[in-house]
């Protein structure tokens, strides 16, 4: 495995719509393994392929280290309900945090690294992380959804809660 360089805003690739994966091959497995390692190393809870310079619909999410990576390939939202507002950051925007409102619960259909379809239901913070990464695959950045930016000081207060 290898740590990949993370693409920072305003690199163009971050605003592009990613292509679907059609070959579920060794190259994809390697990309997923490297993305996971890169996310853990960067202390992130999710990472999308365009953030490592690959314009493909691939994302990994793991909101608690060691809980098991969720690999999402060609994901689609099937259902979304409710609303939550919380603080988000992004590995491509160091030191920028803001409040974003998103559906509270989502049901997503995606493919795994072998191409098998599966569905996942998530709520609360996991739903937020999945939606943030899925937005990346459409070239949508969290900053376009921030209702209020927050300072590092405020962030510390959030974390103390
Ligand atoms: Ni992000």
């Amino acid at each position: 495995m290898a740590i990949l360089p993370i693409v920072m805003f305003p690199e163009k690739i971050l605003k592009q719509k990613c292509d679907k994966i059609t070959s579920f091959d060794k190259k994809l497995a390697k990309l997923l393994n490297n993305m996971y390692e890169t996310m853990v190393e960067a202390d992130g809870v999710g990472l999308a392929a365009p953030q490592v310079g690959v314009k493909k619909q691939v994302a990994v999410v793991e909101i608690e280290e060691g809980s098991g990576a969720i690999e999402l390939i060609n994901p689609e939202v099937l259902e979304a309900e409710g609303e939550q507002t919380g603080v988000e950051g992004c590995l491509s925007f160091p030191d920028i945090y803001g409040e974003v409102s998103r559906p509270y619960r989502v049901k997503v259909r995606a493919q795994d690294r072998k191409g098998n379809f599966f569905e996942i239901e998530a709520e609360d913070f996991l739903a937020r992380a999945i939606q943030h990464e899925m937005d990346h695959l459409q070239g949508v950045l969290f900053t376009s959804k921030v209702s209020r930016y927050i300072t590092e000081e405020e962030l510390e207060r959030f974390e103390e809660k």
Side-chain angles (χ1 to χ4, degrees), residues 5-70:
I6 296 176
V7 171
M8 295 294 163
F9 181 79
E11 286 289 323
K12 245 194 279 169
I13 191 169
L14 293 174
K15 296 210 103 172
Q16 291 174 348
K17 213 176 153 180
C18 297
D19 304 317
K20 282 202 166 183
I21 288 283
T22 51
S23 308
F24 294 83
D25 52 12
K26 275 188 190 158
K27 204 175 138 195
L28 174 65
K30 191 175 164 193
L31 172 66
L32 283 159
N33 294 344
N34 289 343
M35 281 174 61
Y36 179 74
E37 187 153 300
T38 304
M39 177 187 78
V40 170
E41 168 75 16
D43 218 6
V45 294
L47 188 69
Q51 293 182 279
V52 292
V54 178
K55 205 166 84 47
K56 298 277 184 193
Q57 292 188 26
V58 177
V60 289
V61 172
E62 189 185 57
I63 58 168
E64 220 177 293
E65 201 177 332
S67 62
I70 299 167

Side-chain angles (χ1 to χ4, degrees), residues 46-48 51 88-93 132-133 136 140-142:
L47 188 69
Q51 293 182 279
E88 289 187 21
C90 179
L91 294 177
S92 296
F93 292 82
H132 176 115
E133 299 316 323
H136 272 296
V140 174
L141 299 170
F142 86 113

Side-chain angles (χ1 to χ4, degrees), residues 103-136:
Y104 181 76
R105 194 187 73 89
V106 284
K107 186 176 187 180
V108 169
R109 183 174 190 252
Q111 282 168 280
D112 66 16
R113 59 168 68 197
K114 290 180 178 159
N116 299 309
F117 283 94
F118 66 96
E119 285 179 12
I120 180 168
E121 285 187 62
E123 56 181 42
D124 209 332
F125 187 66
L126 180 59
R128 169 178 300 284
I130 287 173
Q131 292 175 84
H132 176 115
E133 299 316 323
M134 284 180 69
D135 275 353
H136 272 296

